[in-house]
């Protein structure tokens, strides 16, 4: 991990951009932290530049609760190389939705599974590097989307002890089956009228999780209409499980 820039935000949060090989990322740490702090990995569906306003807002809320937060650029997003296969799958999905046709499992698999297979090892490599920093300690949580990435991480990464998952993308049936292996505490956010989400897939995924503690927080509205109180409840969830 190589830090490439840093700035102190007006609330004292230290923001540092970094690269992990060719993967860019950002780390935020509380300004008042005097001991190694718990870490929240913040997933997202797009490029860092496009997602930055929402990411930094989430990170500042996390810092106010005493957490460090970090994110990395998703494969095929931002400045990272595009995948022709993923672009074709995305076009096929868009075409089906616009035509009012069912989105087939085959399209969802082509779009999501290669992304999960590439992103999860990258998140694990980032976690290795972040936990090697003296200011970062455990435990570790995962927050955000793509929900299939969060689900796979919850299965394969034992250092993640709790997760807030955003149900805002299509979910392959393979991931729903993997969800039966997830046992960590979960808090799942679902926008009921999300135009980019198959609601029934999200409900099937939630039902499949084997966690003894799992909460579904459903709100009316579209993809970017998550109310502030829903985010506040997610922060309280992490306060219970990462401290």
């Amino acid at each position: 991990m190589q830090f490439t820039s840093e700035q102190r935000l007006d609330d004292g949060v230290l923001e540092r951009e970094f690269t992990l090989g060719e993967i860019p990322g950002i780390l935020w740490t509380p300004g008042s932290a005097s001991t190694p702090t718990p870490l929240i990995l913040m997933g997202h569906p797009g490029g860092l530049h496009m997602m930055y306003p929402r990411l930094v807002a989430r990170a500042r809320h996390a810092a106010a609760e005493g957490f460090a937060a970090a994110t990395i650029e998703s494969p095929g997003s931002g400045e990272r190389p595009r995948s022709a296969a993923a672009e074709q799958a995305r076009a096929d999905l868009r075409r089906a939705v616009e035509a009012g046709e069912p989105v087939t499992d085959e399209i969802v698999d082509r779009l999501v599974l290669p992304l999960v297979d590439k992103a999860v090892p990258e998140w694990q490599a980032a976690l290795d590097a972040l936990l090697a920093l003296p200011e970062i300690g455990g435990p570790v949580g995962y927050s955000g989307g793509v929900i299939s990435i969060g689900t796979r991480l919850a299965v394969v990464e034992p250092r993640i002890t709790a997760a807030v998952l955003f149900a805002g993308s299509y979910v392959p049936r393979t991931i729903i089956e993997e969800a039966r292996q997830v046992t960590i505490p979960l808090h799942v956010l679902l926008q009921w009228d999300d135009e980019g989400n198959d609601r029934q897939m999200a409900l099937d995924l939630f039902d499949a999780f084997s966690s003894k503690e799992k909460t579904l927080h459903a709100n009316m509205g579209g993809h970017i209409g998550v109310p502030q109180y829903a985010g506040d409840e997610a922060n309280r969830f992490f306060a219970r499980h990462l401290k």
Side-chain angles (χ1 to χ4, degrees):
M1 172 181 283
Q2 180 178 357
F3 288 105
T4 57
S5 70
E6 71 173 60
Q7 65 170 328
R8 185 75 65 175
L9 305 182
D10 55 16
D11 55 1
V13 173
L14 179 62
E15 177 184 280
R16 286 175 285 176
E17 296 185 0
F18 63 85
T19 56
L20 188 67
E22 297 180 354
I23 305 168
I26 308 174
L27 170 64
W28 294 270
T29 48
S32 59
S34 57
T35 58
T37 59
L39 174 66
I40 298 175
L41 302 176
M42 298 197 308
H44 58 91
L48 288 182
H49 178 73
M50 180 182 72
M51 296 296 299
Y52 178 81
R54 278 187 274 175
L55 288 167
V56 71
R58 288 165 57 192
R60 294 172 100 160
H61 283 297
E65 297 291 339
F67 302 121
T71 191
I72 57 175
E73 189 92 83
S74 299
S77 298
E79 300 301 319
R80 300 191 64 186
R82 298 296 189 265
S83 161
E87 293 296 323
Q88 183 61 58
R90 190 172 292 108
D92 292 343
L93 184 147
R94 188 182 306 113
R95 188 178 303 112
V97 170
E98 291 174 352
E101 299 172 353
V103 176
T104 65
D105 289 347
E106 187 267 343
I107 293 175
V108 174
D109 287 354
R110 283 193 289 119
L111 178 62
V112 179
L113 290 178
L115 173 63
V116 174
D117 291 342
K118 187 171 179 62
V120 167
E122 293 179 352
W123 275 111
Q124 291 181 293
L127 183 55
D128 290 341
L130 290 162
L131 289 177
L133 299 173
E135 63 269 37
I136 305 297
V140 179
Y142 178 87
S143 172
V146 174
I147 197 170
S148 294
I149 294 174
T151 299
R152 173 75 61 81
L153 275 170
V155 172
V156 304
E157 182 46 75
R159 292 172 292 182
I160 294 176
T161 59
V164 173
L165 301 178
F166 297 179
S169 53
Y170 288 88
V171 181
R173 299 296 172 183
T174 299
I175 298 296
I176 293 176
E177 288 304 311
E178 290 183 20
R180 304 187 192 283
Q181 303 174 55
V182 176
T183 58
I184 62 173
L186 296 175
H187 183 89
V188 180
L189 296 175
L190 171 63
Q191 288 299 103
W192 201 249
D193 305 302
D194 191 334
E195 60 280 2
N197 182 40
D198 185 308
R199 184 194 303 161
Q200 190 57 54
M201 279 185 180
L203 295 175
D204 290 346
L205 179 65
F206 181 80
D207 187 57
F209 289 127
S210 295
S211 304
K212 291 183 179 179
E213 179 185 341
K214 60 178 182 179
T215 301
L216 179 66
H217 194 135
N219 301 283
M220 303 303 292
H223 186 76
I224 60 172
V226 180
Q228 181 59 51
Y229 61 79
D232 293 342
E233 183 57 38
N235 287 333
R236 286 190 286 270
F237 169 84
F238 280 132
R240 292 196 302 274
H241 292 288
L242 299 186
K243 289 186 177 181

